[in-house]
Amino acid sequence: QCWRHRTATFMILGGICTRACRFCSVPHGRPTPPEPEEPRRIAESVAELGLKYAVVTCVSRDDLPDGGASAMRETILAIRQRCPDTLVEVLTSDYGGDFQAVDQVLSAAPAVFGHNLETVERLSPSVRSVAQYRRSLAVLEYAASHAPQGTVVKSGMMLGLGESDDEVRQALKDLRNAGVSLVTLGQYL
């Protein structure tokens, strides 16, 4: 379905995450340094595939001073330069709550700024290794209040981890209060 709509997702900053969230199958450990040519290569792939919509996600890079925000920014800008009509959605880390890192990403004006809350507050400590429910809400609230005009702020949550309906409703209220305008709900298989 994604290919039919000329949409694809790219994961940047390598294949090793500095976190070990229980729901994720991305290996964790000590990542290699970022590849300086990665933004250009991603933009070339977007052009070659003729994409209308590119999603750029990343592993968490707590080993980098900016958490990888500059690489995300450079990737957005490279895609925009090479493919000005392609919309870019980003799915970011929480950058450890560093709003300057969030500003770096927002300065590239992605069509969608996404950061996933992942689960309800009660389950967050057992599901997410480093990320925190309230910190994620703060990042989303900051992004919603500082995003360039036209940028949508989005989050996502997994269902089926033992949360109650009331907890889901509360998380959705928390996201709405943070200024998030789009939420996806699904299951992580």
Side-chain angles (χ1 to χ4, degrees):
Q1 183 178 6
C2 291
W3 286 109
R4 187 170 60 242
H5 291 102
R6 295 191 2 208
T7 298
T9 300
F10 301 88
M11 187 168 75
I12 64 169
L13 293 169
I16 298 175
C17 187
T18 56
R19 300 183 183 179
C21 297
R22 293 182 144 196
F23 64 88
C24 187
S25 63
V26 173
H28 69 280
R30 184 173 297 198
T32 59
E35 298 178 30
E37 293 299 311
E38 187 173 48
R40 179 190 54 77
R41 288 196 328 267
I42 296 289
E44 286 176 1
S45 296
V46 170
E48 187 174 328
L49 292 168
L51 299 180
K52 293 180 180 180
Y53 198 90
V55 180
V56 181
T57 187
C58 61
V59 293
S60 290
R61 292 295 302 259
D62 297 324
D63 61 312
L64 301 174
D66 69 354
S70 57
M72 184 67 79
R73 179 183 185 281
E74 293 307 314
T75 303
I76 298 165
L77 294 174
I79 293 170
R80 183 165 301 117
Q81 180 180 13
R82 183 78 190 261
C83 309
D85 295 330
T86 300
L87 295 177
V88 180
E89 173 179 333
V90 295
L91 181 57
T92 72
S93 167
D94 64 7
Y95 299 121
D98 180 357
F99 295 149
Q100 289 181 336
V102 175
D103 279 335
Q104 279 193 67
V105 177
L106 292 174
S107 72
V112 177
F113 177 94
H115 171 64
N116 287 342
L117 190 59
E118 304 296 6
T119 190
V120 299
E121 188 167 18
R122 176 179 60 84
L123 296 175
S124 193
S126 63
V127 171
R128 305 166 88 195
S129 68
V130 175
Q132 301 166 3
Y133 184 89
R134 293 287 160 191
R135 184 169 64 200
S136 286
L137 285 174
V139 165
L140 289 161
E141 184 173 15
Y142 183 87
S145 64
H146 289 80
Q149 187 172 1
T151 295
V152 172
V153 177
K154 173 183 176 181
S155 190
M157 288 179 45
M158 298 174 284
L159 301 176
L161 300 176
E163 68 284 341
S164 70
D165 291 350
D166 286 341
E167 288 175 313
V168 173
R169 280 190 279 277
Q170 183 59 54
L172 292 172
K173 287 177 189 174
D174 290 344
L175 288 167
R176 182 182 58 213
N177 291 339
V180 173
S181 55
L182 182 62
V183 177
T184 60
L185 301 172
Q187 292 182 311
Y188 202 92
L189 301 178

